[in-house]
Amino acid sequence: MKAKNLVRIFALAAVCLFYLPGTGLAIGQIKYVEDTCSEGCFRLAGNGSTANIYVDSRDYPGVVRAAGDLQADIKRVTGIEANLTSRKSELGKNVVIIGTLGKSKIIDQLAKEGKIETSPIAGKWESFLITTVKEPVEGTDSALVIAGSDKRGTIYGIYDLSEQIGVSPWYWWADVPVEHKDSLYVKAGTYIQGPPAVKYRGIFLNDEGFALTPWVKEKFGNYNSKFYTKVFELLLRLKANFMWPAMWNNAFADDDPLNAKLADEYGIVMGTSHHEPMNRAHQEWQRYGKGPWDYSKNEEVLRDFWRQGVERSKDYEIIITLA
């Protein structure tokens, strides 16, 4: 069986696990986007136009990037590209306002003025609220506010809306079709997702040698940042946050300097597998190690090798495997 087919089979199997047939939404998720307007609704798209999208340029880079994905997702559904801006002068009459508490001035101002209630998410892990607001600021008639408690909270809120309008987290990996819609309306109200029951949730790219690796080399050249950013996006769209990378013949941080940098920027917590201590891949010892892999005989070399692993990732969000 071709590697491409194996990858697609895996993806399709995961779709069955995560989604109810015909709903397009994760199990237990409340549907708040409709194609007709109910009382007090927010018009995301309709009458040949879309709402603007605003995100503070000083918010987390991963939040700003995900706002761009929302812009692309709205176009995938409606065929119309929304205006994405970081200028308050371009909010317009109808706008999606995206921001993280403490990182977005407009979000903090709306909370201060009592126009949004952030106490259900403030200070909590990976939480967000989505709420409709009338006249959020002068000159704007209505807004859909996506506010996150932290970086991933905001990102999850963005992708929650993307899923609601009809873009599956698996749109790229499994070619899940996107149904065209001329109109998208968000029902009036507030929708909150609190902290996850499991703090770290993700995947381990294990036993990748015979199936995934040939496909990755064909499509991307290697396990580089072009490949991994596709995985990072999928994880975030699924509201996951953690990954152990491919390790058979690869070293995540060494193969491409952008791998670790972009993982942190996107919002993915990285780890290393069960036999790769201190954020050093097994292949890195094969490449740079000297002497035996035996602490009782090679203490100084091993300590320096491991110290380098921690030092290079000290600014990133990681989980360190001890042994």
Side-chain angles (χ1 to χ4, degrees), residues 93-111:
K93 296 294 184 180
N94 211 41
V95 62
V96 179
I97 298 174
I98 297 169
T100 310
L101 300 182
K103 293 288 287 185
S104 171
K105 286 188 176 181
I106 193 169
I107 291 292
D108 291 345
Q109 185 64 31
L110 290 173

Side-chain angles (χ1 to χ4, degrees), residues 3 26 39 54 64 73 111 159 166 171 201 206 227 259 286 318:
E39 184 178 355
Y54 172 85
V64 176
D73 290 342
Y159 286 136
Y171 77 95
R201 315 159 306 281
N206 195 16
F227 164 75
N259 281 347
Q286 302 301 315
I318 62 170

Side-chain angles (χ1 to χ4, degrees), residues 150-223:
D150 54 21
K151 175 171 63 177
R152 279 188 295 272
T154 309
I155 292 170
Y156 293 158
I158 293 168
Y159 286 136
D160 198 78
L161 180 59
S162 288
E163 188 177 0
Q164 286 273 341
I165 68 175
V167 179
S168 166
W170 296 92
Y171 77 95
W172 189 86
W173 283 95
D175 295 331
V176 178
V178 178
E179 179 185 351
H180 176 84
K181 296 176 183 177
D182 292 321
S183 301
L184 297 167
Y185 297 96
V186 179
K187 293 191 293 185
T190 299
Y191 308 92
I192 298 171
Q193 184 167 113
V198 178
K199 190 166 187 177
Y200 294 103
R201 315 159 306 281
I203 61 172
F204 177 18
L205 297 182
N206 195 16
D207 292 339
E208 71 274 11
F210 302 113
L212 186 61
T213 296
W215 180 83
V216 168
K217 288 185 176 180
E218 176 189 345
K219 299 298 181 183
F220 301 97
N222 197 5
Y223 286 96

Side-chain angles (χ1 to χ4, degrees), residues 93 110 113 115 132-143:
K93 296 294 184 180
L110 290 173
E113 294 174 355
K115 294 182 177 180
T132 53
V133 180
K134 295 296 183 184
E135 300 181 354
V137 297
E138 185 177 355
T140 298
D141 295 335
S142 62

Side-chain angles (χ1 to χ4, degrees), residues 262-280:
L262 289 174
D264 188 72
E265 182 176 305
Y266 271 64
I268 298 300
V269 182
M270 294 303 301
T272 48
S273 73
H274 46 287
H275 69 285
E276 299 180 314
M278 310 304 287
N279 204 38
R280 294 303 307 256

